[in-house]
Amino acid sequence: MSTWQEREARVYMQTGRRQPVTLVKGQGLRVWDDAGKEYLDFVGGWAVNTLGHCHPAMVKAIEEQARTLFLASNQFYTTPQIELAELLVANSCLQRVFIANSGAEANEGAVKLARKWGKLHRKGAYEVITALNSFHGRTLAMVSATGNPHYQEPYEPIPAGFLNVPYNDIEAIKRVTTHRTCAVMLEPVQGEAGVIIPAKDYLKQVRAWCDEQGLLLILDEVQTGVGRLGTMFGYQQAGVEPDVMTLGKGLGGGVPIAAFLAKESAAVLTPGDHGSTYGGNPLVCHVAKTVVQYVLAHNVLDNVRKNGERLQQGFRKLQAEFPFIQEVRGRGLLQAVQFTQDISADVLTAANQEGLLLNAPRPNTLRFMPPLVISAAEVDEGLAKFSAALAKAGSARKLL
Ligand SMILES: Cc1ncc(COP(=O)(O)O)c(C=O)c1O
């Protein structure tokens, strides 16, 4: 254990399991640990580092805004907030924006909006239908929304008003819809569950049901938004428009920012209903605006589609070589490799040794979410390191 890791163990709350790697520096797709070892980063801050580490455009934006205005409270108008909101509206199907600080907080805002909408338009309906194995964040209400007992049980009683039903099952949503329901909230692709892609028509069926019943459709695009799947937003691939959408992660490319957006018809919040001290501050808004503009102006979506495909093809070749790869799935640069056994941790450790950082959302599944600016050469380098890690872990477990 390095001294940093010993120091952490003494003072930091042990709320999660970390890899034994202490990162001190990043540039592009690469990061370095405190011993100077270089890694290729296919975790990307959990789908956050849209433009990679320390991208010059982001560094410039931070410098510019740090010299101009950090934060001035939402008692006043600030220009980067308005410009970012305009940019999001111009490039999505939504017309109103509220800027928050984290994905969970953006989702909380979306649910508050849905409850107010239920009061105004559905006689006080307040329940939100969400999916099992979803992930919507760690606040108390969002652990209720997140359909996973592991996140809920330690905090019971959890807030009422959320019904978790199987994903990719329209009948399950229909069965629990009542006069109390105000909204359905779903991820277009379930990220934390291990990159679960619903059937082609699922979101269309949900949209139709929401229209028929007068419910809001909230899409949590905290992980899928801002290009991750190869389109600006995931809803574009599903062929539906949400009434409300949440963003986070890749929106700021590494600075803490998130947002919820609504159609004009659903934007029922009025002065006094919601607020935030840090939400929408000039510093992060200027950076997020720079990130979104960069994605739009530099063919980044094209790159995501091309190199996402290259990565997936590479995994398929490895599947022929390593029989313990059960399934390869994903869209754009949100990809997963599922194994026949629970060997994610072994492969992860072997990958660290090879100089490749990976994420394991499930004991039998690895998730790949590198920066959206990854090059073909970096995809190939990552695949070569991954192949070496599979060989090492596979032979140690006698799977080869
Ligand atoms: C789909 C989705 N929603 C919400 C969140 C929570 O975001 P945050 O950790 O910024 O609160 C995440 C985080 O992984 C996510 O993947």
Side-chain angles (χ1 to χ4, degrees):
M1 229 199 220
S2 81
T3 53
W4 285 110
Q5 289 164 33
E6 283 163 8
R7 285 163 67 177
E8 191 267 4
R10 278 197 290 274
V11 295
Y12 206 75
M13 284 199 202
Q14 302 293 299
T15 64
R17 275 179 286 277
R18 302 189 206 249
Q19 292 296 303
V21 176
T22 303
L23 297 176
V24 294
K25 198 172 86 168
Q27 191 62 56
L29 262 284
R30 293 174 202 277
V31 288
W32 287 265
D33 72 14
D34 56 342
K37 179 171 171 171
E38 181 180 307
Y39 302 83
L40 198 58
D41 183 6
F42 274 30
V43 180
W46 291 335
V48 166
N49 300 124
T50 307
L51 307 186
H53 295 278
C54 301
H55 191 282
M58 289 179 71
V59 172
K60 181 165 170 277
I62 289 174
E63 268 175 17
E64 267 167 16
Q65 196 58 42
R67 287 181 207 287
T68 310
L69 185 68
F70 275 54
L71 181 135
S73 97
N74 282 308
Q75 191 179 327
F76 307 101
Y77 297 89
T78 52
T79 57
Q81 183 183 101
I82 299 163
E83 288 174 332
L84 175 61
E86 284 174 346
L87 189 61
L88 293 175
V89 167
N91 288 284
S92 74
C93 65
L94 294 314
Q95 290 88 39
R96 294 272 163 193
V97 182
F98 181 90
I99 301 175
N101 307 286
S102 69
E105 196 195 319
N107 286 337
E108 290 265 348
V111 168
K112 283 174 75 177
L113 180 149
R115 285 196 175 189
K116 172 134 190 225
W117 191 87
K119 274 202 196 317
L120 294 174
H121 299 297
R122 276 183 64 82
K123 301 193 176 115
Y126 62 93
E127 279 180 356
V128 178
I129 301 170
T130 66
L132 287 166
N133 287 320
S134 57
F135 190 81
H136 299 294
R138 302 282 201 155
T139 60
L140 263 185
M142 285 310 113
V143 298
S144 270
T146 293
N148 186 335
H150 172 75
Y151 295 129
Q152 299 177 341
E153 278 162 6
Y155 311 110
E156 285 169 348
I158 54 173
F162 295 93
L163 297 169
N164 312 139
V165 301
Y167 190 61
N168 198 20
D169 181 349
I170 182 65
E171 295 308 319
I173 291 177
K174 290 184 178 176
R175 268 197 303 276
V176 300
T177 301
T178 67
H179 64 282
R180 291 186 298 275
T181 313
C182 65
V184 177
M185 179 161 86
L186 297 167
E187 298 159 86
V189 169
Q190 287 189 323
E192 299 297 310
V195 189
I196 307 300
I197 301 169
K200 200 163 158 280
D201 284 341
Y202 174 60
L203 288 176
K204 279 199 182 126
Q205 290 167 334
V206 179
R207 176 72 273 177
W209 180 248
C210 288
D211 288 344
E212 193 183 314
Q213 298 291 313
L215 312 174
L216 292 182
L217 174 60
I218 305 172
L219 288 184
D220 176 346
E221 295 235 22
V222 168
Q223 188 156 151
T224 52
V226 194
R228 179 62 43 192
L229 303 183
T231 46
M232 199 58 183
F233 304 108
Y235 72 76
Q236 293 160 323
Q237 295 187 19
V240 299
E241 291 191 356
D243 302 296
V244 180
M245 169 173 76
T246 58
L247 299 174
K249 291 186 181 278
L251 175 62
V255 297
I257 185 168
F260 63 97
L261 291 80
K263 293 253 187 202
E264 194 68 64
S265 55
V268 291
L269 298 180
T270 51
D273 281 350
H274 197 54
S276 171
T277 296
Y278 292 114
N281 72 70
L283 190 66
V284 295
C285 286
H286 187 57
V287 178
K289 191 182 67 181
T290 304
V291 170
V292 174
Q293 279 168 340
Y294 191 99
V295 168
L296 293 168
H298 290 82
N299 271 339
V300 171
L301 299 176
D302 226 31
N303 190 59
V304 173
R305 287 191 290 268
K306 269 205 304 258
N307 281 319
E309 185 58 31
R310 190 180 185 93
L311 188 61
Q312 193 174 82
Q313 288 308 322
F315 291 147
R316 294 201 187 285
K317 280 193 200 131
L318 291 174
Q319 192 174 20
E321 205 179 320
F322 297 99
F324 55 90
I325 296 182
Q326 185 172 37
E327 192 180 288
V328 171
R329 56 177 180 261
R331 294 251 181 92
L333 286 169
L334 187 60
Q335 297 283 336
V337 169
Q338 187 173 321
F339 301 114
T340 52
Q341 356 240 320
D342 290 351
I343 55 163
S344 296
D346 305 43
V347 180
L348 211 84
T349 302
N352 286 345
Q353 287 159 4
E354 295 298 321
L356 174 68
L357 299 182
L358 299 178
N359 167 261
R362 290 284 182 273
N364 66 349
T365 306
L366 292 176
R367 181 175 41 161
F368 302 77
M369 43 197 161
L372 305 189
V373 293
I374 191 170
S375 67
E378 287 160 338
V379 168
D380 295 348
E381 186 185 339
L383 285 165
K385 288 177 190 292
F386 183 47
S387 172
L390 289 170
K392 203 181 268 182
S395 55
R397 292 281 291 257
K398 303 202 175 1
L399 296 170
L400 289 173

